[in-house]
């Protein structure tokens, strides 16, 4: 998914025992992630990507329904001072669908963009500041958070310090 030569500025790994732990990590991420960032979410179907996003949004005090964007391709969450875009590119047939859809216009300094299945738009999708990979584990799941930019590193170091 990530270009093999892409530098990883910083990496944080942890075990998540259950859905509650995944939601808790989302709450923690809400304290460090901010508008202007691009976050790629990696993991198989059912890995917990949407659960993590739900925890993140709850951490931003969003109380509405949080659902997977699998069929809509994007779910938009208007918060008090910025917008969160949650994309699911699983159904993309080719990378140009990202540009054809106009999604690239959504990713700017006043939005936080979360992208599931980013490899479906590789080459046209803006690069990730943070790559979050969720993997099944013997007793829950493991998560690997990789900072791919200086901004991403700053965020993940804050997470580690908290």
């Amino acid at each position: 998914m990530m270009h093999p030569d892409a530098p990883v500025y910083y990496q944080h790994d942890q075990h998540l025992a259950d859905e509650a732990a995944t939601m808790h990590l989302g709450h923690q991420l809400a304290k460090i992630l901010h508008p202007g960032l691009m976050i790629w979410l990696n993991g198989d179907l059912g890995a917990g990507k949407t659960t993590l996003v739900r925890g993140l949004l709850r951490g931003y005090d969003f109380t509405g329904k949080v659902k997977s964007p699998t069929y809509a391709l994007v779910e938009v969450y208007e918060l008090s001072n910025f917008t969160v875009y949650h994309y699911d590119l699983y159904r993309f047939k080719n990378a140009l669908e990202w540009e054809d859809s106009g999604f690239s216009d959504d990713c700017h300094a006043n939005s936080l963009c979360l992208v599931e299945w980013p490899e479906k738009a590789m080459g046209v999708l803006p690069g990730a500041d943070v790559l979050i990979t969720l993997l099944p584990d013997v007793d829950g799941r493991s998560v690997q958070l990789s900072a791919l930019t200086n901004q991403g590193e700053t965020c993940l170091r804050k997470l580690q310090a908290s």
Side-chain angles (χ1 to χ4, degrees), residues 73-120:
L73 300 179
V74 62
E75 293 293 334
V76 180
Y77 302 96
E78 298 287 344
L79 305 179
S80 60
N81 55 350
F82 66 98
T83 304
V84 174
Y85 292 91
H86 179 198
Y87 302 97
D88 185 330
L89 309 184
Y90 182 75
R91 298 171 56 159
F92 272 25
K93 301 279 189 262
N94 67 65
L96 293 179
E97 288 183 69
W98 172 261
E99 290 183 349
D100 292 344
S101 67
F103 291 160
S104 58
D105 295 339
D106 299 335
C107 300
H108 49 74
N110 295 321
S111 65
L112 175 63
C113 292
L114 312 167
V115 182
E116 295 186 31
W117 305 98
E119 66 274 14
K120 299 282 193 157

Side-chain angles (χ1 to χ4, degrees), residues 57-70:
L57 287 164
R58 295 294 180 247
Y60 290 131
D61 296 325
F62 180 80
T63 58
K65 186 172 183 176
V66 178
K67 58 185 178 175
S68 173
T70 300

